[in-house]
Amino acid sequence: MGKLFDEWRARSPFYDDTHEAIVQSVRRFIALEATPHIEAWEAARLIPGEFHRRAGAAGLLGLGLPEEYGGTSEGIDSFHVFAQTEEIAAPGAGGLYSALMTHMVALPPVLLLGTAEMKRRVAPAVISGEKVIALAITEPSGGSDVARLRTRAERRGDHYSVNGSKTFISSGMRADYFTVAVRTGGPGLGGISLLLLEKDMPGFSRSPLEKMGWHCGDTATLYFDGVKVPAENLIGPENEGFVRILENFNSERLNAAHQCCAYARVCLEDAAAWAAERETFGKKLGQHPVIRSKLADMARLIDATQAYVDLTAWRFTRKLARPADFALLKVQATRTFEQVAREAAQVLGGASFIRGNRIERIYREVRVMAIGGGSEEILLDLAGRQLGFG
Ligand SMILES: Cc1cc2nc3c(=O)[nH]c(=O)nc-3n(C[C@H](O)[C@H](O)[C@H](O)COP(=O)(O)OP(=O)(O)OC[C@H]3O[C@@H](n4cnc5c(N)ncnc54)[C@H](O)[C@@H]3O)c2cc1C
């Protein structure tokens, strides 16, 4: 994408030529295959399946995933993933990232706990972009209190019968597979299992949700009316599946925090470019000390948060990070994102309220980052408990 991240990488101890190679190839792919179409995809509320497959063929969907299923894992660290994320952020549409990358949260449980047959059947198809997989945890009755989820799977001989509903599910309209959290046992997290549900199973239906932003990313409510799921689609041991994937939420939070920095940087770039062109009171907007300070303040917030992201990624790779680190980091990043998007919109003035620019779109996408994947309130409370504050 732009020069801000190029400068950051060039002076960072965490990036080398291998990261640069990913930047250049993803940059070319996104500029050619996504940027020219993003407005049309936002209007259609969907990215085309053909584009998803092209992204798979270009290697975007397999970064950091096992080579045996078509991924690229040899020598790949969090910073390669960050480099790719930064480039996917370039069109300034978070729905693009969401639609392409849902499998980064939905596939790891299959890879970690699934049977060999399940991995062979699902992983290559998802990594190549032929199939889409989504993660379905949140229910209409609530998302924060996962321990109380109600969707029930009753074991009946060689299958489970699933009844209930999930909502706000990213890629839920396009998905072929769903990694679904279901209650198979008693109350609490210890009664929750994971099932691989497939879109053609009788009793399954879905409907789309219209959102404030992330328009090219489809989002759905799912309905399970006695869905018959073969017992071999159980992901991990019964009543243990969910507890065993809890650690995965740490890397999801790390990547979400980096995503916030990437989109905040798009805002700063566009605000700075506008301030360099627009004139008020006889001089460029950027020459007014108030606006210059605003831009500097945005750079301060982004750099501080990016440094925290990078340190947490370094700790993560060395297994030095505590769960509280990821929770605190995500809150830091969503607050930085929110402040930067706000200030960028101020710099644009009325133009920021008119459709057709990246800041207007990104401004509408801030809320989902502060709520999805652990809201600010829930994460701060979690961190407070983990750090022993009361
Ligand atoms: C666009 C989008 C995409 C999403 N994609 C997915 C997906 O792919 N898969 C999936 O499973 N989910 C997904 N989600 C759901 C998301 O993870 C939930 O919205 C989130 O977990 C919060 O749950 P909730 O919306 O039900 O809010 P609730 O749990 O009802 O909470 C409402 C508000 O109250 C606050 N709150 C709740 N309890 C407390 C408390 N004890 N103390 C203080 N404050 C509290 C919360 O922080 C929140 O602000 C998505 C959401 C959106 C908007």
Side-chain angles (χ1 to χ4, degrees):
M1 106 160 164
K3 74 180 172 35
L4 291 176
F5 191 58
D6 290 347
E7 281 174 0
W8 180 266
R9 280 195 328 281
R11 294 178 294 124
S12 163
F14 302 117
Y15 291 91
D16 60 27
D17 290 351
T18 63
H19 302 91
E20 190 59 30
I22 285 180
V23 167
Q24 294 310 328
S25 82
V26 180
R27 184 171 293 179
R28 271 193 305 276
F29 178 81
I30 293 293
L32 200 66
E33 303 280 354
T35 308
H37 311 294
I38 210 73
E39 295 287 352
W41 296 348
E42 285 276 296
R45 306 297 196 241
L46 213 60
I47 61 163
E50 181 53 31
F51 169 72
H52 198 95
R53 287 186 286 277
R54 274 192 224 267
L60 269 69
L61 308 183
L63 194 66
L65 297 176
E67 312 256 341
E68 62 180 308
Y69 304 118
T72 319
S73 53
E74 190 70 32
I76 298 299
D77 60 23
S78 294
F79 298 97
H80 294 94
V81 175
F82 290 172
Q84 172 165 285
T85 299
E86 198 75 26
E87 298 305 318
I88 295 174
L96 175 67
Y97 182 89
S98 166
L100 276 181
M101 295 297 162
T102 322
H103 68 289
M104 292 307 280
V105 289
L107 190 59
V110 172
L111 295 173
L112 196 69
L113 303 172
T115 61
E117 185 281 329
M118 188 190 291
K119 287 187 229 181
R120 268 197 311 275
R121 183 160 57 91
V122 175
V126 165
I127 291 171
S128 68
E130 288 300 320
K131 303 269 188 189
V132 174
I133 188 168
L135 180 68
I137 296 174
T138 305
E139 303 195 341
S141 58
S144 302
D145 192 0
V146 178
R148 278 178 214 264
L149 67 81
R150 299 175 186 176
T151 294
R152 185 154 268 291
E154 303 274 357
R155 181 77 189 247
R156 302 218 177 119
D158 62 352
H159 70 274
Y160 288 91
S161 176
V162 182
N163 285 287
S165 181
K166 299 284 174 182
T167 196
F168 307 153
I169 306 307
S170 298
S171 298
M173 289 309 294
R174 287 177 308 131
D176 301 280
Y177 299 116
F178 297 89
T179 301
V180 188
V182 291
R183 185 160 305 285
T184 43
L189 289 179
I192 303 175
S193 304
L194 299 175
L195 276 183
L196 183 74
L197 200 135
E198 306 181 32
K199 71 168 182 186
D200 296 326
M201 290 176 169
F204 170 68
S205 58
R206 51 187 159 183
S207 57
L209 291 166
E210 182 64 19
K211 310 187 293 300
M212 175 195 275
W214 275 19
H215 286 162
C216 67
D218 55 302
T219 308
T221 297
L222 316 179
Y223 310 94
F224 313 123
D225 184 10
V227 183
K228 200 172 161 183
V229 180
E232 59 265 26
N233 278 30
L234 183 68
I235 306 172
E238 199 172 76
N239 297 330
E240 284 181 36
F242 192 76
V243 176
R244 292 217 193 167
I245 62 154
L246 280 176
E247 259 191 32
N248 283 2
F249 294 113
N250 292 338
S251 56
E252 182 187 351
R253 284 166 195 158
L254 175 63
N255 289 327
H258 176 70
Q259 233 178 298
C260 289
C261 288
Y263 288 92
R265 234 184 245 110
V266 173
C267 291
L268 174 55
E269 277 180 359
D270 285 3
W274 179 269
E277 287 299 316
R278 181 86 168 169
E279 284 190 13
T280 68
F281 299 91
K283 54 181 171 184
K284 301 285 187 204
L285 205 48
Q287 287 166 345
H288 295 290
V290 169
I291 299 296
R292 194 162 50 223
S293 301
K294 240 186 221 314
L295 295 168
D297 218 31
M298 290 156 73
R300 170 185 68 80
L301 282 166
I302 296 169
D303 281 7
T305 304
Q306 185 73 62
Y308 189 9
V309 167
D310 289 2
L311 177 64
T312 307
W314 181 87
R315 284 175 170 160
F316 174 63
T317 329
R318 281 159 188 74
K319 303 202 184 319
L320 293 171
R322 306 162 300 179
D325 291 330
F326 301 97
L328 293 176
L329 174 71
K330 180 166 179 274
V331 176
Q332 171 68 22
T334 53
R335 292 197 172 163
T336 291
F337 184 28
E338 184 150 32
Q339 180 68 10
V340 170
R342 180 199 186 278
E343 292 298 76
Q346 284 300 109
V347 172
L348 252 69
S352 72
F353 204 65
I354 306 299
R355 286 277 155 101
N357 67 82
R358 298 194 295 182
I359 290 175
E360 183 274 334
R361 190 161 55 220
I362 293 173
Y363 189 83
R364 286 184 282 106
E365 297 176 350
V366 165
R367 297 260 37 89
V368 62
M369 297 306 291
I371 292 168
S375 66
E376 290 181 355
E377 293 78 7
I378 294 299
L379 291 182
L380 282 177
D381 187 53
L382 178 77
R385 276 183 282 121
Q386 284 173 347
L387 295 173
F389 301 145

